Amino acid sequence: MLQGSVDRVMGWVLDFGDVKDRFKPIYRQLDHNPLDKLSGIRAADAGSVAEWVHGELKPLVPELSRIDLMETPEQGVSLTFRGDMQWPLL
C-alpha cells in the first residue's frame, strides 16, 4: 500500500508499473531462494520477510506505507509503517 499526494493528472500516488519495476530486483532475491540465506532476514517467517522487504523497498518507494504478505490464503501478515519507522522492531 502506498500513501502520499495523489497526482492530479494521473489520479494515483505512484504508477504501479513503477512500483513493480523497483520491486523486481528484490523479488529476484526472494524467488526460489532459501530465505534463511538472505542477509538481513532474521527469521524465515512472513513477518521477518515483510520487514526485510520494507527495508529494501522503502528507499526506492518512499510512499510505501503497508505490506501484506500471505503465506497461505488464510494466513499471513500485514505491517503498517508510519513516518520514519525503522525495522526490525524488536
Side-chain angles (χ1 to χ4, degrees), residues 64-82:
L64 183 64
S65 64
R66 190 174 94 195
I67 294 176
D68 298 329
L69 182 60
M70 302 304 293
E71 296 179 65
T72 69
E74 296 86 24
Q75 181 177 328
V77 65
S78 179
L79 298 179
T80 301
F81 312 101
R82 294 187 181 99

Side-chain angles (χ1 to χ4, degrees), residues 23 25-53 56 69-71 77:
F23 181 69
I26 298 165
Y27 175 79
R28 282 190 212 113
Q29 292 180 68
L30 295 169
D31 190 35
H32 297 287
N33 290 308
L35 298 177
D36 60 343
K37 302 296 184 200
L38 288 174
S39 176
I41 294 182
R42 59 186 175 88
D45 60 72
S48 297
V49 173
E51 291 171 359
W52 180 83
V53 168
E56 297 291 312
L69 182 60
M70 302 304 293
E71 296 179 65
V77 65

